[in-house]
Every structure is written in C-alpha cells, then in structure tokens.
Amino acid sequence: VLAVDIAAGTGASNSVISIGNRKTSEKVAEFASPYITPHDLAKTAVALAKWFNNGFLIWDAGGHGRIFGNCVIDAGYRKIYYRQNEQSLSRKVSDVPGYFFTKDNKRTTIGEYREALDSGKFINRSYQALRECLEYVYVRSNSSIEHSKCANTIDPTGARDNHGDRVIADALLYKAMKMFSVVEEEQIEVPENCFLARRQFALAKAAEETYW
C-alpha cells in the first residue's frame, strides 16, 4: 500500500510517499522531497506502486492532489482509492479518485493512526515521521487537529518549513491498510516433475545428509 501527501514542489514543504506492508502492518519505505512537482511525484508514485507488487495507491486529493490525481489517471494506473461515503453503513464507492480531507474525517483519520501507533497495530520505524507526530495539536476553538508549525523543526530533506507531511501520508497509509483483510495464502500444490519439486527434494536430501 502506498499513501501520498502532495506539496507544490517549491521547497517550502515536503511531498511524501509512505509505503507499507499490509500483511505485517508496518511501514517499509518512505520518500520525502520538497522540490518534486506534483506531476513528477505522480510518475514516481506510479513507478513505486508497480515496483511494490502493483500496490494500492491512496493520496490526499485536496489542493495539489488534484494535479497529482490527474497524472495518475493519465498514466493508466487504476489500483487506487476512490472516494467513499464514510457516513453511511454501505460506504458506497464513487468514481472520484483520491481521499478528500474534511475537518471531521481528518480528526478521525489522525486519531485512528495515533491509536494504531500506541497499540502496536501499525509499526513505523521512521524517526522523522514519528517526530513529526509530536508537532500536531488539538485546537479546542474549532475542534480540529492541526500542525503547530514549529519554527525550530530541522528536516534533512531541506524543506524550509515543516507541516507534518509525513504524518498525513502515514495516517492515510494506515487507513488504506485497514481496508484489506489479511487472508492466509493458499498452499500451492507443486507438480512432481517441475523444477520447484526437484529443488525442494534436493534441498531436503542435502539437509538430511548434513544432519546425519
């Protein structure tokens, strides 16, 4: 699963791609750059999605996400998140690509991500990503979750400002990973005469000889 938060590419804030293994519920890779345009970011995301076993792709469709989404569609990649009615039990899926944040669903999405980190349901080994989590605050005046825009944040990518972009990508990553139920892989029946069967036999015999 791949989740993307898109910036303008002018150096002010990062565009981020977070990649996770839905079977182990862990983040396995991260890309962050403040200088990549939404067009090039879309090409990079599609290439990574294909490389990571044709991964499921979700992104923040607001703002520059519209440009990103159009490029993904133009590239012909269709293993993507389509907007759902999250207020209904049926969660009817539309034909509108990308995830659109509102004040309410942003609070829910980040809240669920926070709980997943705390409970171990989601494993994130990125130091930068975890540090950015500390920069989000609950704003009582409008009951929203916002980035504190800490002026002293140091980011190795060179972004002039830090807006918690990794947190948004990681929260979307966990949201998408929850959509899939992990099913045990079926045991593949290996024909006796194929290469795999001969190889397994040879390895078993070698192990037996080594044991004795």
Side-chain angles (χ1 to χ4, degrees):
V1 180
L2 298 88
V4 189
D5 184 64
I6 304 103
T10 59
S13 61
N14 283 316
S15 288
V16 178
I17 302 174
S18 292
I19 306 172
N21 183 335
R22 64 184 179 87
K23 291 187 176 181
T24 60
S25 296
E26 61 185 326
K27 181 175 174 179
V28 298
E30 175 185 286
F31 169 88
S33 172
Y35 300 111
I36 187 169
T37 66
H39 300 83
D40 289 335
L41 182 67
K43 296 176 184 177
T44 302
V46 170
L48 286 171
K50 291 181 178 179
W51 190 38
F52 281 90
N53 303 316
N54 291 316
F56 181 79
L57 183 61
I58 185 173
W59 65 90
D60 178 3
H64 301 290
R66 296 179 184 274
I67 300 173
F68 175 92
N70 289 338
C71 293
V72 170
I73 298 301
D74 290 344
Y77 199 74
R78 294 295 185 272
K79 198 170 180 182
I80 61 177
Y81 176 90
Y82 290 95
R83 189 174 186 178
Q84 300 178 3
N85 183 357
E86 298 186 351
Q87 304 303 317
S88 69
L89 292 176
S90 64
R91 291 184 176 267
K92 186 176 180 180
V93 179
S94 71
D95 60 353
V96 180
Y99 186 79
F100 291 83
F101 275 108
T102 64
K103 184 180 71 172
D104 290 336
N105 67 26
K106 182 178 181 181
R107 185 173 59 241
T108 301
T109 301
I110 293 180
E112 290 178 346
Y113 171 56
R114 175 188 179 182
E115 191 277 331
L117 286 176
D118 183 57
S119 64
K121 295 177 184 176
F122 181 78
I123 302 169
N124 191 341
R125 297 184 176 89
S126 169
Y127 171 76
Q128 291 293 334
L130 293 176
R131 190 175 70 175
E132 284 186 14
C133 290
L134 301 177
E135 299 162 6
Y136 273 84
V137 296
Y138 177 74
V139 182
R140 292 184 179 275
S141 59
N142 60 0
S143 302
S144 64
I145 304 293
E146 302 293 343
H147 187 264
S148 60
K149 297 183 179 179
C150 298
N152 296 324
T153 299
I154 299 175
D155 195 308
T157 61
R160 294 194 297 272
D161 299 316
N162 189 298
H163 301 128
D165 311 291
R166 290 179 177 86
V167 174
I168 297 300
D170 291 343
L172 281 178
L173 178 63
Y174 177 66
K175 177 180 181 61
M177 291 170 75
K178 286 197 308 174
M179 295 171 57
F180 298 94
S181 58
V182 179
V183 180
E184 293 186 8
E185 296 183 1
E186 296 181 4
Q187 190 69 30
I188 301 175
E189 186 176 342
V190 181
E192 293 182 4
N193 236 359
C194 74
F195 172 78
L196 178 59
R198 295 196 299 272
R199 183 170 182 271
Q200 289 177 338
F201 176 78
L203 289 173
K205 189 171 183 180
E208 184 178 337
E209 292 174 354
T210 303
Y211 177 80
W212 292 108

